[in-house]
Amino acid sequence: MNELEKAPRRSFPIFVGIMILLLGIMSYQVADPLTGRSVLATLGYRIFSPVQTALSGLTNIVAGGIRNYFLLTRTSKENARLLKEVSELKIQNRMAHEIQQENQRLRKMLELRERLPYLLIPGEVVARDSKAAQSRTLMINRGTRHGITSEMPVVTPEGIVGMTIFVDVLSAKVLMITDTSASIGAMLEKGRVAGILSGDGQNSCILKFLPINVQVKKGDLVVTSGQEGIFPEGLAVGRVFQEVKESTLYRSFEVVPFPNFTSVNEVLFMKQAKSGPQ
């Protein structure tokens, strides 16, 4: 192939380039009647607009993801802080409630000490007997050093608890009235009909040996009669719950004691001789 044959071939790309350049110049100079922009600008806009839109959307998605990540991180930290504060407030509220309850119990004890003609020695429950199924005893942190003696009445502002059966120097064992071996004199406040109160080994007592014709109804108040010589007359014991069929010769009734023995924490020992604080 000679030089004359190659020349037209080399000239053709140059020709095409020149034509494209001329078309571009003309498109730039000619305005689109709809938009008022040049044909070249309109063509470029139509070509690159979808790409620009896609890139803008992708940018917004990425930016939104980053913002959401930091927002979720801050929210998570804030939630953790708020949960901690709520937990602390709950604990503080519970402690305040316990202090309020303790203050109310102590206030009732002080009122009882002023009302009864006895020296009342306060004590706290330190242990409960759980060895035997029917055993109902409490260990109290008061003993002979504090003026505690055997067979001393033990009460709460709500009602009687039991009596001391063993006393050491710094502690005393109290037999609750719900123990099967406990037996004290008790009576119906209404009518003053007396009987014997014994424990059932659970959480109740049985008032026995009442006359057949006695008038009793659920909720009647039962108080101590003082017949056994340990408890003074008139201390609250509990209320009648239901009749118990034991004999045809007398009537018996289940009595629910006033103190909730499962939650008793403070008690009062009743000492007859008011010889001053121990």
Side-chain angles (χ1 to χ4, degrees):
M1 183 178 294
N2 53 32
E3 294 297 329
L4 294 175
E5 293 176 346
K6 292 181 179 180
R9 294 183 179 181
R10 288 196 298 266
S11 300
F12 182 75
I14 296 172
F15 174 76
V16 171
I18 293 172
M19 293 299 295
I20 292 173
L21 180 60
L22 291 174
L23 287 174
I25 294 172
M26 292 174 64
S27 299
Y28 180 76
Q29 293 176 345
V30 177
D32 189 341
L34 295 178
T35 62
R37 294 192 296 264
S38 66
V39 174
L40 182 62
T42 301
L43 181 62
Y45 174 79
R46 290 178 180 177
I47 293 175
F48 293 106
S49 178
V51 177
Q52 184 179 8
T53 302
L55 290 176
S56 177
L58 180 61
T59 301
N60 291 334
I61 291 174
V62 173
I66 294 174
R67 285 196 303 270
N68 290 337
Y69 171 77
F70 286 107
L71 179 62
L72 289 175
T73 301
R74 288 196 300 270
T75 303
S76 178
K77 291 181 179 179
E78 182 68 13
N79 288 341
R81 184 183 66 81
L82 292 175
L83 286 174
K84 181 181 178 182
E85 290 182 1
V86 169
S87 299
E88 291 175 351
L89 289 174
K90 285 182 177 180
I91 294 174
Q92 293 175 3
N93 183 60
R94 183 61 187 173
M95 292 175 64
H97 178 72
E98 288 298 324
I99 293 173
Q100 182 181 13
Q101 293 294 318
E102 184 179 5
N103 289 339
Q104 291 179 355
R105 292 194 300 268
L106 294 176
R107 189 178 298 110
K108 289 181 179 180
M109 287 187 173
L110 290 175
E111 292 174 356
L112 185 63
R113 292 181 67 175
E114 295 175 356
R115 188 169 68 249
L116 292 177
Y118 284 83
L119 174 63
L120 300 182
I121 305 171
E124 295 181 0
V125 177
V126 294
R128 303 175 188 271
D129 188 2
S130 59
K131 294 181 180 179
Q134 294 183 326
S135 176
R136 294 292 183 269
T137 59
L138 299 173
M139 190 64 67
I140 312 298
N141 64 344
R142 292 292 182 270
T144 56
R145 181 177 178 181
H146 308 92
I148 309 302
T149 60
S150 183
E151 294 188 345
M152 180 177 286
V154 181
V155 300
T156 69
E158 289 75 27
I160 66 173
V161 174
M163 68 185 76
T164 55
I165 56 174
F166 175 79
V167 182
D168 202 346
V169 178
L170 297 175
S171 63
K173 191 173 186 179
V174 175
L175 182 72
M176 294 189 289
I177 58 174
T178 53
D179 190 279
T180 53
S181 62
S183 182
I184 66 171
M187 63 182 178
L188 297 167
E189 185 188 45
K190 184 179 181 180
R192 317 297 286 183
V193 181
I196 301 298
L197 188 80
S198 301
D200 68 352
Q202 300 299 320
N203 296 313
S204 298
C205 301
I206 307 297
L207 182 60
K208 306 179 180 181
F209 308 118
L210 298 180
I212 295 296
N213 62 348
V214 66
Q215 298 295 319
V216 183
K217 60 182 180 181
K218 183 177 180 180
D220 282 351
L221 179 63
V222 178
V223 298
T224 55
S225 65
Q227 293 177 350
E228 82 291 326
I230 297 176
F231 289 92
E233 181 181 337
L235 293 179
V237 175
R239 293 193 182 276
V240 173
F241 179 67
Q242 63 185 358
E243 186 169 2
V244 179
K245 299 296 183 180
E246 287 190 336
S247 173
T248 58
L249 302 177
Y250 60 87
R251 297 178 70 182
S252 301
F253 294 88
E254 180 182 355
V255 177
V256 179
F258 281 127
N260 183 359
F261 295 120
T262 60
S263 60
V264 169
N265 295 314
E266 298 95 10
V267 298
L268 292 167
F269 296 89
M270 297 182 64
K271 189 171 184 178
Q272 292 184 355
K274 298 193 74 170
S275 56
Q278 299 295 319

